[in-house]
Amino acid sequence: MKTPELNLPEGIELIAGSNADAVARQLAKAVAAALGRRLAEAPRASLVVSGGSTPLPFFKVLSQEPLEWARVDVALADERWVPESDPASNTALVKQHLLAGPAAAARFVSLKQDGDTPEEGMAAVVAALGDLAQPIDVLILGMGNDGHTASLFPDAPELHRAMTAAEGEPAVAVHPPSQPQSRITLSFPLLSQARMTALHLKGDDKLDTLAKAASAVDQVNAMPIRGFLKPGLKVFWSA
Ligand SMILES: O=C(O)[C@H](O)[C@@H](O)[C@H](O)[C@H](O)COP(=O)(O)O
């Protein structure tokens, strides 16, 4: 296993392992514990997850955790603006692999609403997000090798708006040229207020990207993941 020489900022915890399923299981247990603590003190808890390929084993373990899932709101940090029938749909991924078993009882707050574009669907998305317990209790982020997280892409023309959106703008439509689909992303201000944030990564390439991000944390727009490299972040990484 590659030794992660990362020089992460102070206060960031790295949980590293050679086995992806074992690290995914550690993340699922940490998330279930955090949600359980929140549910012991509040009527509802919110879990915001990311799509992509990394989260699958995490979703499968978490879905089986014995929580009061009917009191948990689940949402995506971002979504490709495609129908659930599209292989790129994160909504379909979450419904199939996370909202199964005990977790099927959770309330899913969908970022994909009617409309040919995310702009057309935005009013419905904002209304749906009114059901999400905020601030977010548990946020799971992924990262691309360009330093994007959620759909906060460095090449998105709307990145500044997504990084500085006001409270009344919880989500932003983005059209990064590097991506085949238009997307909708929760705004950086909404995401960054999460009570617990975990960054779930797999592979040496992601470790190299994280090291690059950590080397210049103030240059956020160049690598938006940098906005989350702050004390309290837990990085779960597997080879
Ligand atoms: O919709 C998405 O694509 C995700 O929200 C995105 O931010 C993802 O977390 C990263 O691109 C990493 O994706 P992988 O896990 O597939 O590497």
Side-chain angles (χ1 to χ4, degrees):
M1 180 178 82
K2 179 171 180 177
T3 310
E5 302 296 338
L6 292 171
N7 298 318
L8 290 172
E10 279 297 307
I12 294 178
E13 183 184 0
L14 174 67
I15 298 97
S18 56
N19 180 290
D21 288 344
V23 171
R25 198 173 310 113
Q26 284 180 275
L27 175 57
K29 294 299 182 185
V31 167
L35 291 173
R37 286 192 297 272
R38 184 62 183 157
L39 290 172
E41 64 183 20
R44 299 195 68 80
S46 49
L47 167 65
V48 173
V49 296
S50 292
S53 57
T54 304
L56 234 51
F58 159 65
F59 287 165
K60 290 178 179 173
V61 174
L62 182 59
S63 70
Q64 301 305 315
E65 285 295 307
L67 284 170
E68 288 185 73
W69 283 103
R71 293 201 289 133
V72 178
D73 303 324
V74 175
L76 277 157
D78 67 316
E79 179 57 303
R80 299 84 182 269
W81 201 259
V82 296
E84 287 183 41
S85 56
D86 189 308
S89 170
N90 284 333
T91 298
L93 189 82
V94 166
K95 287 185 175 179
Q96 183 179 355
H97 298 291
L98 176 55
L99 303 180
R107 174 166 68 183
F108 182 63
V109 177
S110 181
L111 288 191
K112 180 62 177 72
Q113 299 286 335
D114 291 340
D116 292 336
T117 66
E119 287 86 354
E120 283 182 20
M122 189 57 74
V125 170
V126 173
L129 287 171
D131 285 340
L132 184 73
Q134 295 175 38
I136 295 164
D137 292 303
V138 178
L139 170 64
I140 312 299
L141 292 174
M143 181 188 70
N145 284 321
D146 58 356
H148 83 261
T149 189
S151 280
L152 302 170
F153 283 88
D155 68 333
E158 307 86 356
L159 178 64
H160 177 72
R161 181 173 180 173
M163 295 302 288
T164 60
E167 197 166 322
E169 191 177 14
V172 176
V174 294
H175 305 271
S178 61
Q179 301 303 310
Q181 314 96 357
S182 295
R183 293 180 169 225
I184 189 164
T185 186
L186 295 188
S187 72
F188 174 76
L190 175 56
L191 292 169
S192 64
Q193 289 166 18
R195 291 189 171 91
M196 170 188 163
T197 302
L199 178 57
H200 188 196
L201 305 174
K202 180 177 185 296
D204 287 349
D205 59 331
K206 296 292 179 74
L207 210 57
D208 294 338
T209 301
L210 184 59
K212 180 182 176 187
S215 69
V217 289
D218 57 329
Q219 295 168 34
V220 176
N221 284 359
M223 297 182 83
I225 189 64
R226 288 170 167 155
F228 295 92
L229 300 186
K230 56 189 180 184
L233 176 71
K234 299 176 187 294
V235 180
F236 287 78
W237 174 82
S238 66

